[in-house]
Amino acid sequence: PKMKEDHCLHAALLCLGVLCYSQALATERLSHARPSLHGHLEKGKEGQVLHRSKRGWVWNQFFVIEEYTGPDPVLVGRLHSDIDSGDGNIKYILSGEGAGIIFVIDDKSGNIHATKTLDREERAQYTLTAQAVDRNTNRPLEPPSEFIVKVQDINDNPPEFLHENYHANVPERSNVGTSVIQVTASDADDPTYGNSAKLVYSILEGQPYFSVEAQTGIIRTALPNMDREAKEEYHVVIQAKDMGGHMGGLSGTTKVTITLTDVNDNPPKFPQSVYQMSVSEAAVPGEEVGRVKAKDPDIGENGLVAYSIIDGDGMDMFEITTDYETQEGVVKLKKTVDYETKKSYSLKVEAANVHIDPKFISNGPFKDTVTVKIAVEDADEPPVFLKPSYIFEVQENAASGTVVGKVHAKDPDAANSAIRYSIDRHTDLERYFVINAEDGNIKTIKTLDREEMAWHNISVFAVEVHKQHQEAKVPVAIKVVDVNDNAPKFAAAYEAFVCENARSNQQFITISADDKDDSANGPRFIFSLPPEIIHNPNFTLRDNRDNTASVLVRREGFSRQKQDLYLLPIVISDGGVPPLSSTNTLTIRVCGCDSSGSLLSCNAEAYVLNAGLSTGALIAILACIVILLVIVVLFVTLKRQKKEPLIVFEEEDVRENIITYDDEGGGEEDTEAFDIATLQNPDGINGFMPRKDIKPEYQYLPRPGLRPAPNSVDVDDFINTRIQEADNDPTAPPYDSIQIYGYEGRGSVAGSLSSLESATTDSDLDYDYLQNWGPRFKKLADLYGSKDTFDDDS
């Protein structure tokens, strides 16, 4: 409070001094601004009479202090002319900037006053024009003259910073005096007058970390080794004060937020010395085992850490990768582990910074190591076959029950459970094999044929006895070893042709053979003639020793008239052990050839028919016979179709007179065009139409015992009789033409045609005969009978 009072007192004294100085200056200037008349006398101090010479106006600059807030207008100055005798005939006129608004003049005395408070920062000076005119005629008595009114500055504007808030960064661990940022303030007061605009900077908040230069406003670090990890952000308040920083000056402040940027001055550090992890032996390579993390208080690239395994007995079984999002080291399984082989592993993991700052290398080393112990957990594993696959051999035609081979699997778990074996029947649909469930021996249960299937690919399951869900599968390939059980045969259905004029020892066909057995059982075929025809007079055989044989003509001259076909048996033997042979017949036809040996005709009939009819004539005769037969058949067919209609449409035929009455219509009041198809018998609607195109060849007379009595009124018996006649008539068409009106139907959209709900009439009809119509009309008879009874009672 005392400081505040001192400031107020200082300001008051300053204003009073400025006011007194302004008045004195104005009085002094007025004395120069009053030109006196020539010969005007003024007394001096000693009473001497002084003589002053006549002169024109003397204009100097007028000064008005800004921000004056007194009760009366401020006297700026006084205008006076030499010709003004004081009789009031002179009128002073003021024009120019602010005349009449800011500055007013007393037109008699020439006194100029400022009517408004002036602000130098708004306008520093005003240019005005003064003139003396005759009051009565407004005639200018003197030429106009200009003068300037200057606004004198006072310290009424505090310093202002360019920004209200500043933000700056400086690296941590910076040396003392490192420049952070420069702040700048401005003062609207006159910098050329006094110290109103002379600024001095100082720091109000932020010591002892930062300082500011008083003249430039540059902020610098003031403490060494500032640590971002300890404190990252600082708030500094800077003050700018005018009047050179002296007491009574005005001031302004700004806030500066300074952030320490990170440098890599901290190495990574593991929070613990040992990590414990575990992995199941059932885990697959690539599966995550666990994570480690070295803490680095640095941020950004300065805090990046890379992990690696540098030692340990699990270097080949595990690997580590870096998760850069979480900065963790991820330990993963590299190879499958086995609990029964090794139960634990140890790793030495290193974490090192990726980017190292050479300035702080002395703070290193920028890495750390930790021990990772990994325990292998026992898992319930399926059985394991000793081999990934099996290949067995078995001879074809081997007896049922022959052992093919043996598979073996074991339980890798410590329990070593018993194993049971089975064959996947989807791979052995024909059931050629069976396996012993206990020992894994595979046997045949059918005779195998290599020529039918040379390989059998089956799958064998191994399942733990007490854990049926634990099973393994192994492929088993069974090769059927060939046995020489197929004799060689002709490679094709050979048919040879020999000319009638063939020469002796002429070759006319080459034959070869095939053997279904493997090449080991038939590498070479031997061709020969049977012993009984080894000296065949017509043909001979030559083995070419390349699995082919040539057939040659032994004699000359063949005749189709005598014999046009020869059957030559040929024996073919293979080279198997024991060898097999077969006799194959070669068909040889005798043909007519020209002189060059080209075939002309192989038909023996060509010579036979020369004496009689030719082949063409025989064919023509046969064609005529066939045509005649076709004409006869057509004639008979047309004759039959012209007979009388098959069914006699007589009016007395009861089958055409019986009508169905179950077609329920719309009633007596239904005058609209009703679709009669709706009322037809459903069987007829569905396409069940009676056949009327066939009439029995003789009329079947029904048995006498089935006809009703002539005078019978039992309609039910009549209907049943007619149905039995139609069913028992063997000459009736396959579709009966009798229409049954006793069919109940399937419902009708027209509603019921019963008269039970109709209006009662006084009809004298007697319905007693309904009692004799049979059980089909019993309900109707009871209804009408009850109605009569009711009427009688009433």
Side-chain angles (χ1 to χ4, degrees):
K2 183 177 181 181
M3 184 179 293
K4 187 175 181 181
E5 291 177 1
D6 291 342
H7 283 300
C8 294
L9 180 60
H10 179 73
L13 292 175
L14 180 63
C15 292
L16 182 60
V18 170
L19 183 60
C20 292
Y21 171 75
S22 176
Q23 291 293 336
L25 186 61
T27 304
E28 180 182 0
R29 288 173 180 170
L30 281 174
S31 65
H32 295 286
R34 294 174 185 169
S36 61
L37 294 175
H38 180 71
H40 183 75
L41 301 177
E42 291 185 3
K43 279 189 176 181
K45 292 182 180 181
E46 290 85 5
Q48 300 177 354
V49 178
L50 300 178
H51 297 274
R52 303 184 64 181
S53 61
K54 180 180 178 181
R55 59 177 179 169
W57 288 5
V58 179
W59 302 110
N60 290 322
Q61 292 181 348
F62 294 118
F63 293 88
V64 179
I65 192 169
E66 68 171 336
E67 304 294 345
Y68 175 74
T69 58
D72 299 324
V74 177
L75 177 62
V76 178
R78 182 181 180 186
L79 298 178
H80 189 70
S81 177
D82 292 345
I83 63 176
D84 187 2
S85 60
D87 55 2
N89 291 327
I90 302 298
K91 179 181 179 181
Y92 295 99
I93 299 175
L94 186 66
S95 62
E97 298 174 347
I101 301 174
I102 300 175
F103 302 102
V104 295
I105 188 170
D106 189 344
D107 60 355
K108 292 182 179 180
S109 62
N111 291 335
I112 301 172
H113 291 83
T115 60
K116 292 185 178 180
T117 302
L118 302 179
D119 187 359
R120 189 201 68 83
E121 286 71 39
E122 181 179 345
R123 187 161 188 167
Q125 66 181 24
Y126 298 86
T127 301
L128 299 170
T129 301
Q131 190 174 23
V133 299
D134 185 272
R135 184 177 296 275
N136 297 321
T137 62
N138 283 334
R139 182 176 58 84
L141 302 177
E142 291 182 357
S145 299
E146 286 187 354
F147 65 94
I148 296 174
V149 177
K150 285 192 174 182
V151 181
Q152 189 174 356
D153 182 52
I154 65 172
N155 188 19
D156 61 341
N157 289 281
E160 292 184 358
F161 284 92
L162 298 180
H163 303 285
E164 185 178 354
N165 293 286
Y166 289 85
H167 295 274
N169 298 323
V170 64
E172 63 174 334
R173 308 284 183 184
S174 295
N175 297 327
V176 175
T178 301
S179 176
V180 179
I181 191 175
Q182 182 178 17
V183 295
T184 304
S186 62
D187 197 318
D189 293 325
D190 189 358
T192 63
Y193 179 76
N195 293 327
S196 298
K198 186 177 182 181
L199 304 181
V200 174
Y201 298 95
S202 60
I203 184 168
L204 300 183
E205 295 181 16
Q207 300 96 339
Y209 306 103
F210 300 95
S211 63
V212 64
E213 292 183 357
Q215 305 302 324
T216 62
I218 297 176
I219 301 174
R220 299 182 183 275
T221 58
L223 282 182
N225 296 324
M226 285 191 292
D227 190 5
R228 184 200 66 84
E229 288 73 35
K231 186 176 182 180
E232 183 176 6
E233 193 172 82
Y234 295 84
H235 297 282
V236 179
V237 178
I238 303 297
Q239 182 190 63
K241 191 174 184 181
D242 59 13
M243 297 301 290
H246 293 98
M247 185 177 295
L250 303 178
S251 63
T253 61
T254 185
K255 294 180 180 179
V256 182
T257 302
I258 301 175
T259 303
L260 297 183
T261 58
D262 185 63
V263 297
N264 191 10
D265 58 339
N266 295 279
K269 210 72 175 171
F270 284 104
Q272 58 197 69
S273 60
V274 178
Y275 283 87
Q276 298 286 348
M277 300 179 185
S278 61
V279 61
S280 173
E281 62 175 341
V284 297
E287 188 172 328
E288 181 178 327
V289 178
R291 295 190 174 215
V292 298
K293 184 175 183 180
K295 294 183 178 180
D296 191 332
D298 297 322
I299 59 175
E301 67 176 13
N302 297 319
L304 293 180
V305 179
Y307 298 88
S308 60
I309 300 175
I310 59 176
D311 198 7
D313 58 358
M315 292 183 64
D316 296 334
M317 307 301 295
F318 301 91
E319 61 183 355
I320 190 168
T321 59
T322 303
D323 186 346
Y324 286 103
E325 291 186 2
T326 61
Q327 289 298 300
E328 294 177 318
V330 183
V331 180
K332 295 182 179 179
L333 185 64
K334 188 176 180 180
K335 296 180 180 179
T336 305
V337 293
D338 186 12
Y339 174 81
E340 288 72 28
T341 303
K342 189 173 177 63
K343 295 180 175 58
S344 64
Y345 295 89
S346 178
L347 301 174
K348 189 175 183 180
V349 176
E350 180 185 78
N353 277 141
V354 177
H355 303 283
I356 298 177
D357 193 339
K359 296 179 182 179
F360 304 99
I361 196 69
S362 59
N363 293 10
F366 286 86
K367 57 186 177 181
D368 193 17
T369 58
V370 71
T371 300
V372 178
K373 293 185 178 181
I374 303 174
V376 180
E377 297 178 347
D378 188 20
D380 189 8
E381 300 174 88
V384 177
F385 282 95
L386 299 185
K387 295 181 181 180
S389 63
Y390 292 87
I391 299 178
F392 300 130
E393 292 184 355
V394 61
Q395 285 192 343
E396 67 174 328
N397 302 326
S400 177
T402 302
V403 175
V404 176
K406 181 179 181 181
V407 297
H408 184 66
K410 66 176 182 177
D411 182 12
D413 298 323
N416 195 17
S417 301
I419 305 297
R420 293 187 66 85
Y421 304 93
S422 62
I423 295 177
D424 183 1
R425 287 306 169 189
H426 293 92
T427 62
D428 185 25
L429 296 176
E430 300 295 330
R431 294 186 177 271
Y432 286 105
F433 306 97
V434 67
I435 190 170
N436 190 300
E438 283 75 21
D439 59 14
N441 274 319
I442 301 175
K443 298 180 180 180
T444 62
I445 53 177
K446 287 184 180 180
T447 302
L448 305 180
D449 187 359
R450 190 203 67 86
E451 288 71 41
E452 181 180 342
M453 186 180 295
W455 286 87
H456 294 266
N457 296 305
I458 64 174
S459 296
V460 175
F461 289 115
V463 182
E464 294 183 18
V465 174
H466 302 295
K467 298 175 182 177
Q468 298 294 327
H469 64 282
Q470 294 290 4
E471 68 175 14
K473 187 176 182 181
V474 67
V476 178
I478 301 173
K479 179 181 179 182
V480 182
V481 180
D482 184 48
V483 174
N484 192 22
D485 58 346
N486 290 279
K489 295 181 180 180
F490 276 158
Y494 293 108
E495 187 173 2
F497 301 92
V498 64
C499 294
E500 287 181 309
N501 54 358
R503 299 185 306 274
S504 177
N505 293 327
Q506 180 181 352
Q507 175 182 334
F508 59 89
I509 190 172
T510 300
I511 59 175
S512 63
D514 280 339
D515 194 334
K516 293 182 179 180
D517 292 323
D518 191 22
S519 59
N521 288 314
R524 158 132 160 62
F525 298 124
I526 301 173
F527 299 86
S528 63
L529 295 176
E532 60 272 13
I533 63 168
I534 191 80
H535 300 294
N536 188 302
N538 300 316
F539 307 100
T540 185
L541 185 70
R542 183 179 65 208
D543 193 339
N544 297 327
R545 298 183 179 275
D546 59 354
N547 291 333
T548 64
S550 299
V551 182
L552 296 84
V553 176
R554 172 166 282 187
R555 64 180 178 85
E556 294 182 357
F558 289 90
S559 175
R560 283 181 289 175
Q561 290 84 0
K562 294 181 180 180
Q563 186 174 351
D564 65 337
L565 184 66
Y566 292 90
L567 300 177
L568 180 64
I570 298 175
V571 178
I572 308 175
S573 301
D574 59 21
V577 180
L580 294 180
S581 63
S582 65
T583 301
N584 301 265
T585 302
L586 176 64
T587 301
I588 303 173
R589 293 186 179 277
V590 179
C591 302
C593 304
D594 57 13
S595 59
S596 62
S598 300
L599 296 177
L600 294 178
S601 174
C602 295
N603 296 325
E605 294 83 357
Y607 293 94
V608 177
L609 297 176
N610 288 335
L613 295 175
S614 65
T615 304
L618 290 175
I619 294 175
I621 294 172
L622 290 175
C624 292
I625 295 173
V626 171
I627 291 172
L628 290 174
L629 290 175
V630 170
I631 292 173
V632 171
V633 171
L634 290 176
F635 179 80
V636 173
T637 303
L638 291 175
K639 191 71 176 176
R640 288 186 176 183
Q641 289 183 354
K642 292 182 180 180
K643 291 184 178 182
E644 295 180 5
L646 300 180
I647 297 178
V648 179
F649 296 93
E650 299 178 359
E651 294 183 358
E652 293 79 14
D653 193 348
V654 72
R655 290 176 297 178
E656 293 297 317
N657 294 333
I658 296 178
I659 318 169
T660 59
Y661 76 103
D662 61 310
D663 300 332
E664 298 180 358
E668 294 80 8
E669 296 180 2
D670 186 6
T671 59
E672 299 296 329
F674 190 82
D675 186 6
I676 196 63
T678 309
L679 304 178
Q680 297 300 323
N681 191 313
D683 293 334
I685 295 175
N686 295 334
F688 183 81
M689 300 300 295
R691 287 187 54 181
K692 301 178 181 180
D693 57 342
I694 300 175
K695 180 179 179 181
E697 295 186 0
Y698 63 93
Q699 189 69 27
Y700 171 74
L701 297 177
R703 289 176 292 179
L706 295 178
R707 285 200 176 270
N711 297 327
S712 175
V713 293
D714 192 338
V715 179
D716 188 34
D717 291 343
F718 175 77
I719 292 172
N720 291 333
T721 301
R722 301 300 294 174
I723 290 174
Q724 291 180 11
E725 289 178 3
D727 291 342
N728 297 325
D729 188 357
T731 63
Y735 296 94
D736 204 30
S737 61
I738 286 183
Q739 300 183 16
I740 303 172
Y741 70 89
Y743 178 77
E744 286 292 334
R746 300 176 181 172
S748 172
V749 296
S752 175
L753 295 179
S754 173
S755 62
L756 294 179
E757 295 180 0
S758 304
T760 58
T761 60
D762 296 334
S763 175
D764 296 329
L765 294 176
D766 185 7
Y767 298 102
D768 292 340
Y769 62 88
L770 294 175
Q771 300 291 340
N772 301 325
W773 278 26
R776 293 179 185 266
F777 299 93
K778 184 178 185 302
K779 185 66 176 179
L780 189 62
D782 293 342
L783 290 174
Y784 275 81
S786 60
K787 177 177 179 301
D788 294 338
T789 306
F790 177 77
D791 292 340
D792 295 338
D793 294 341
S794 62

